[in-house]
């Protein structure tokens, strides 16, 4: 037993020594990027899938749990693959060119996005929409920082909020099919289901009146 513990200790010391080697840093960063992508994807998707599934999805408990597990696995896997691909391409380009330049990041992410997130499915669609909203905000701020757009005299956020809410509710009311399914489900719950009730049970306690047995 003691011999096994000593062997394990020696193995851990060897691994730790390897991890501290600067010449392996780029390769090890790719591996840890894969790990972090998998963990972060699971942390983000699992609670979201849990809430959305139990709020809006019908079916048995087994079906709901399976749906949550599948969504979590897909998000975790895709993010892990993307981070791995991105960091590997960044390291490769830097090695080939001898230095890191801004275009490397754009090219690596474009190729990774094409390979990993190119399939049009609900998980990838949600991730792309999440990124798109933040890109628009980021580019707007960058345009002001670079002087391409003059610094607003007043905070433009109230106007942006008004236009976004006005547009999304207009789309929901008159062109609902253009919205992403989970957003449709959320808005149906908020704006359509609140127009229907029969008694106190489905006015305050339930969204819909429980089916009679």
């Amino acid at each position: 037993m003691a011999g096994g513990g000593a062997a394990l200790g020696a193995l851990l010391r060897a691994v730790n020594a390897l991890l501290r080697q600067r010449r392996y840093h780029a390769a090890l960063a790719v591996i840890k990027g894969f790990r972090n992508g998998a963990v972060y994807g699971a942390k983000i998707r699992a609670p979201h899938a849990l809430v959305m599934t139990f709020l809006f999805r019908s079916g048995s408990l087994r079906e709901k749990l399976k749906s949550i597990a599948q969504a979590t696995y897909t998000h975790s896997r895709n993010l892990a693959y993307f981070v791995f691909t991105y960091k590997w391409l960044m390291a490769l380009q830097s090695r080939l060119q001898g230095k890191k330049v801004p275009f490397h990041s754009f090219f690596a992410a474009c190729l990774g996005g094409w390979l990993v997130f190119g399939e049009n499915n609900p998980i990838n669609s949600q991730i792309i929409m999440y990124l798109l909203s933040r890109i628009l905000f980021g580019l707007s701020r960058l345009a002001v920082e670079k002087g391409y757009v003059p610094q607003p005299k007043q905070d433009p956020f109230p106007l942006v909020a008004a236009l976004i809410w006005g547009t999304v509710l207009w789309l929901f009311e008159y062109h609902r099919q253009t919205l992403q399914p989970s957003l449709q489900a959320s808005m149906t719950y908020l704006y359509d289901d609140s127009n229907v009730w029969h008694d106190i049970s489905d006015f305050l306690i339930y969204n819909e009146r429980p089916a009679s047995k």
Side-chain angles (χ1 to χ4, degrees):
M1 191 73 177
L8 179 59
L11 177 61
L12 288 175
R13 286 192 294 273
V15 170
N16 287 334
L18 175 66
L19 293 176
R20 287 191 287 267
Q21 293 287 328
R22 293 299 303 173
R23 56 180 170 172
Y24 301 128
H25 183 268
L28 294 171
V30 171
I31 296 172
K32 186 171 183 182
F34 181 90
R35 177 264 180 201
N36 283 9
V39 171
Y40 187 78
K43 285 183 176 181
I44 292 295
R45 178 56 56 176
H48 177 271
L50 178 68
V51 171
M52 297 301 291
T53 298
F54 278 95
L55 276 179
F56 300 117
R57 189 185 180 101
S58 58
S60 66
L61 177 62
R62 181 187 180 90
E63 291 171 337
K64 290 179 178 179
L65 293 176
K66 183 179 179 181
S67 174
I68 294 168
Q70 287 177 335
T72 302
Y73 169 75
T74 300
H75 194 145
S76 177
R77 179 200 63 197
N78 286 3
L79 196 55
Y81 284 173
F82 177 82
V83 176
F84 180 91
T85 303
Y86 173 78
K87 292 180 74 68
W88 180 77
L89 287 171
M90 288 290 289
L92 178 63
Q93 291 177 103
S94 181
R95 184 177 182 86
L96 291 175
Q97 197 162 344
K99 61 179 180 179
K100 181 178 178 181
V101 299
F103 179 75
H104 290 172
S105 177
F106 181 78
F107 175 76
C110 280
L111 188 55
W114 178 276
L115 294 173
V116 179
F117 292 105
E119 181 183 350
N120 188 359
N121 59 49
I123 302 297
N124 289 349
S125 179
Q126 289 173 358
I127 293 172
I128 296 305
M129 286 188 291
Y130 174 91
L131 292 174
L132 177 60
S133 63
R134 281 142 180 85
I135 287 170
L136 293 176
F137 269 77
L139 289 176
S140 299
R141 291 171 179 144
L142 182 62
V144 173
E145 289 179 7
K146 296 293 185 180
Y148 303 137
V149 175
Q151 180 71 39
K153 295 180 180 179
Q154 294 181 329
D155 185 1
F157 189 83
L159 177 60
V160 173
L163 291 175
I164 287 176
W165 277 105
T167 302
V168 75
L169 264 298
W170 174 76
L171 286 172
F172 176 72
E173 295 287 358
Y174 299 105
H175 305 280
R176 188 171 304 190
Q177 75 283 357
T178 64
L179 297 177
Q180 199 266 347
S182 67
L183 180 58
Q184 289 186 44
S186 300
M187 292 194 141
T188 297
Y189 181 86
L190 292 170
Y191 304 110
D192 283 355
D193 293 356
S194 56
N195 290 330
V196 180
W197 63 86
H198 302 87
D199 52 39
I200 191 67
S201 67
D202 59 350
F203 185 78
L204 287 181
I205 303 174
Y206 304 104
N207 178 44
E208 297 177 352
R209 187 163 53 179
S212 56
K213 296 183 180 180

